[in-house]
Amino acid sequence: MNVCFLKLAYRTMEYMTESTDRSPGHILCCECGVPISPNPANICVACLRSKVDISQGIPKQVSVSFCKQCQRYFQPPGTWIQCALESRELLALCLKKIKAPLSKVMNGAILQQVFVVDYVVQSQMCGDCHRVEAKDFWKAVIQVRQKTLHKKTFYYLEQLILKYGMHQNTLRIKEIHDGLDFYYSSKQHAQKMVEFLQCTVPCRYKASQRLISQDIHSNTYNYKSTFSVEIVPVCKDNVVCLSPKLAQSLGNMNQICVCIRVTSAIHLIDPNTLQVADIDGSTFWSHPFNSLCHPKQLEEFIVMECSIVRDIKRTAGAGMISKKHALGEVWVQKTSEMNTDKQYFCRTHLGHLLNPGDLVLGFDLANCNLNDEHVNKMNSDRVPDVVLIKKSYDRTKRQRRRNWKLKELARERENMDTDDERQYQDFLEDLEEDEAIRKNVNIYRDSTIPVESDTDDEGAPRISLAEMLEDLHISQDATGEEGLCQE
């Protein structure tokens, strides 16, 4: 009984093995009669391809809209996206443009076919660029103003805007007499610019809006927003007089100070003690002060004697002392009064730069009508006769040897007079003399001016090649498209 059972089991396993090793059967193609493996259509591949063209109905040429101004592609129904060439984003955009009607394939049969689709890039200006070109469609404007006679702060602000690309969302930039106007297509872009200004220069702002139109049915309103930004009325190289309360809070420094730079704060130095202090925007508006003299009142002096003060007396509670300057006691004489014997004695923070015979620019406070409330309350012996600002160099020679340049914002401007050109040259000289300001500015090498040695230089500060960037310009590459090239 057991033997029969084992034989039966063996035969069953042998039968199952033979059935699994059996090759599938073949059928004849219903069109040409060629033996084929069974498939849902019962047709060979050659006959299926001859009868069914799966590329039928698929467009062989598709157009893609491209905006040359902003370098973006149009993605239906109403989106513009930025895609690099040969990127996944551009491939996905192109595939979405193809509508493939695959319903003609019979009974779920799988068929592959290769065909070529040509994509034609058509130029089309997007809505944002339309508004930029129109120059009249704006929803927000920023009016930046500074009540000074010099534009050094605006030149510095312009370079910061270029460095961080804050001008990319502007519709247009308009230069007026005492400031700049920035126009935007949305209020959000304007608010972002206002936040940038608050971080880069000491300022304050006021916001207002005006109703343009409204739809009572959909409850929608159209406003135009205005942001009025006021920068502190102090520029580099200004002489200011602080209030007694503010001077005491800054470490009992003297009220008469020199502004050595304006960045996110006002940087002051006391020419009598080399004490420095930084004043932010909120502190300035709480204790405002003005410039005692305007730049046109700068006079040229010649240094007759100069000695360095080694022992600086410091009072209790005094603030920080500048390590980049040296306190000097100098006797100077106006170059316009060389036929007289009148000389002026003063202390200056330029002791490390001055030598007998050097020319220096400064303000003659002794013969100047100072109309300031804080100065009028000071003792006359605490007001210096002369405040020296900076050493004077040959401007023509400095311009000729300057082998670098700056970029400028594309803006609508009035005719640039000689005074504006002089102020711009003052700003360029400030960049050469002040490394702290130079770090925040992109300086580009000017390849048109050869690099000269410093052997015949009179000692004027210059910018090293290591601090310069290579200038990039737009040109056409081998494909005829625009590309970046390096000078």
Side-chain angles (χ1 to χ4, degrees):
M1 185 66 179
N2 294 337
V3 176
C4 295
F5 175 76
L6 292 175
K7 288 184 178 180
L8 179 61
Y10 177 78
R11 291 178 180 177
T12 305
M13 293 176 60
E14 184 180 4
Y15 175 77
M16 293 177 62
T17 304
E18 292 177 357
S19 61
T20 55
D21 295 341
R22 190 174 298 171
S23 60
H26 291 78
I27 63 173
L28 299 179
C29 175
C30 62
E31 294 291 334
C32 63
V34 175
I36 60 173
S37 300
N39 59 65
N42 294 328
I43 303 177
C44 65
V45 177
C47 295
L48 187 60
R49 287 180 176 175
S50 62
K51 293 187 61 176
V52 180
D53 183 12
I54 62 174
S55 66
Q56 186 178 0
I58 301 177
K60 301 301 186 297
Q61 190 176 50
V62 181
S63 61
V64 179
S65 299
F66 177 72
C67 180
K68 291 183 176 181
Q69 278 73 13
C70 60
Q71 304 289 314
R72 294 187 299 175
Y73 293 90
F74 178 68
Q75 183 178 10
T79 308
W80 290 84
I81 60 175
Q82 199 151 9
C83 304
L85 293 177
E86 300 182 1
S87 63
R88 292 185 177 182
E89 293 80 6
L90 185 58
L91 177 61
L93 175 66
C94 294
L95 292 178
K96 289 180 181 179
K97 302 284 290 186
I98 300 178
K99 296 181 180 179
L102 300 179
S103 58
K104 293 185 179 180
V105 180
M106 300 179 293
N107 298 328
I110 299 177
L111 184 63
Q112 295 181 355
Q113 184 175 347
V114 179
F115 59 96
V116 179
V117 178
D118 295 329
Y119 288 86
V120 180
V121 179
Q122 295 181 347
S123 299
Q124 179 182 346
M125 189 177 294
C126 64
D128 295 337
C129 295
H130 263 296
R131 288 188 285 271
V132 172
E133 294 297 326
K135 296 183 180 180
D136 293 327
F137 183 87
W138 57 272
K139 289 188 176 181
V141 60
I142 301 177
Q143 299 172 344
V144 185
R145 301 290 184 268
Q146 186 184 30
K147 298 178 182 179
T148 57
L149 296 177
H150 208 291
K151 299 181 179 179
K152 286 184 178 181
T153 307
F154 281 105
Y155 292 137
Y156 174 70
L157 181 60
E158 177 186 17
Q159 297 304 316
L160 291 179
I161 293 174
L162 286 170
K163 181 177 182 178
Y164 295 103
M166 297 302 298
H167 61 293
Q168 296 178 354
N169 295 323
T170 56
L171 297 179
R172 63 168 175 159
I173 303 174
K174 184 177 181 181
E175 179 181 354
I176 59 174
H177 176 66
D178 56 348
L180 294 171
D181 290 344
F182 298 87
Y183 294 87
Y184 294 89
S185 60
S186 67
K187 184 179 179 180
Q188 290 75 16
H189 290 157
Q191 290 175 333
K192 185 178 180 181
M193 182 63 172
V194 172
E195 294 175 357
F196 174 78
L197 294 175
Q198 289 182 302
C199 296
T200 53
V201 290
C203 62
R204 62 180 179 179
Y205 77 96
K206 294 181 180 179
S208 61
Q209 59 183 8
R210 179 166 56 95
L211 180 63
I212 304 301
S213 61
Q214 62 176 340
D215 188 353
I216 59 175
H217 300 288
S218 59
N219 197 25
T220 58
Y221 300 88
N222 183 20
Y223 291 97
K224 280 192 174 182
S225 303
T226 302
F227 296 88
S228 299
V229 180
E230 182 182 1
I231 304 177
V232 293
V234 179
C235 285
K236 186 180 183 298
D237 298 336
N238 284 166
V239 177
V240 299
C241 182
L242 308 179
S243 65
K245 185 177 181 180
L246 179 59
Q248 184 179 7
S249 65
L250 296 176
N252 294 323
M253 67 189 305
N254 292 323
Q255 293 181 246
I256 303 296
C257 299
V258 178
C259 178
I260 54 177
R261 76 178 63 89
V262 177
T263 55
S264 58
I266 304 173
H267 303 269
L268 302 178
I269 188 171
D270 183 358
N272 288 310
T273 62
L274 296 186
Q275 186 173 337
V276 293
D278 297 340
I279 301 177
D280 56 9
S282 60
T283 305
F284 174 84
W285 299 118
S286 301
H287 306 278
F289 52 86
N290 295 314
S291 175
L292 299 181
C293 306
H294 57 78
K296 292 184 179 180
Q297 293 178 292
L298 274 175
E299 297 191 52
E300 190 177 58
F301 297 84
I302 185 171
V303 179
M304 309 303 293
E305 296 181 15
C306 180
S307 60
I308 302 297
V309 179
R310 303 295 180 183
D311 185 16
I312 302 177
K313 296 181 180 181
R314 300 191 62 184
T315 59
M320 295 180 57
I321 300 297
S322 175
K323 302 298 183 181
K324 297 183 179 180
H325 301 83
L327 184 61
E329 293 182 345
V330 296
W331 285 91
V332 294
Q333 185 176 8
K334 290 184 181 180
T335 55
S336 60
E337 299 177 353
M338 295 299 294
N339 55 348
T340 66
D341 296 333
K342 189 174 183 180
Q343 296 184 4
Y344 302 89
F345 174 80
C346 65
R347 277 193 166 192
T348 178
H349 60 289
L350 304 176
H352 61 296
L353 296 177
L354 301 182
N355 295 297
D358 289 343
L359 298 178
V360 61
L361 299 178
F363 293 106
D364 181 9
L365 300 185
N367 301 314
C368 182
N369 184 16
L370 300 177
N371 186 15
D372 185 85
E373 58 175 344
H374 302 312
V375 176
N376 296 335
K377 297 177 182 180
M378 292 178 60
N379 295 329
S380 58
D381 57 346
R382 295 186 63 86
V383 180
D385 294 336
V386 173
V387 177
L388 302 181
I389 301 300
K390 61 180 180 179
K391 188 176 179 180
S392 179
Y393 302 95
D394 187 356
R395 170 163 288 185
T396 303
K397 188 175 182 179
R398 294 183 72 173
Q399 292 180 1
R400 185 175 64 252
R401 294 172 58 88
R402 186 171 292 141
N403 59 344
W404 55 273
K405 58 184 178 180
L406 301 176
K407 292 187 177 181
E408 298 183 3
L409 285 174
R411 60 184 182 270
E412 303 174 9
R413 59 167 51 179
E414 301 173 355
N415 294 331
M416 194 172 182
D417 54 14
T418 55
D419 189 57
D420 291 338
E421 179 62 26
R422 179 186 61 82
Q423 294 182 13
Y424 187 70
Q425 292 299 325
D426 290 341
F427 172 69
L428 297 182
E429 293 176 0
D430 291 343
L431 290 179
E432 294 175 335
E433 298 169 3
D434 194 344
E435 184 181 359
I437 299 179
R438 203 159 60 232
K439 289 180 179 179
N440 300 327
V441 177
N442 285 341
I443 299 175
Y444 298 91
R445 186 175 66 88
D446 190 355
S447 58
T448 60
I449 300 179
V451 180
E452 300 180 5
S453 62
D454 297 336
T455 54
D456 58 343
D457 199 0
E458 58 177 353
R462 300 184 64 187
I463 299 178
S464 62
L465 291 176
E467 300 178 81
M468 303 180 191
L469 302 175
E470 293 293 336
D471 192 14
L472 300 177
H473 64 279
I474 302 297
S475 63
Q476 287 191 343
D477 54 19
T479 61
E481 298 292 334
E482 290 185 344
L484 288 177
C485 290
Q486 195 176 52
E487 288 187 351

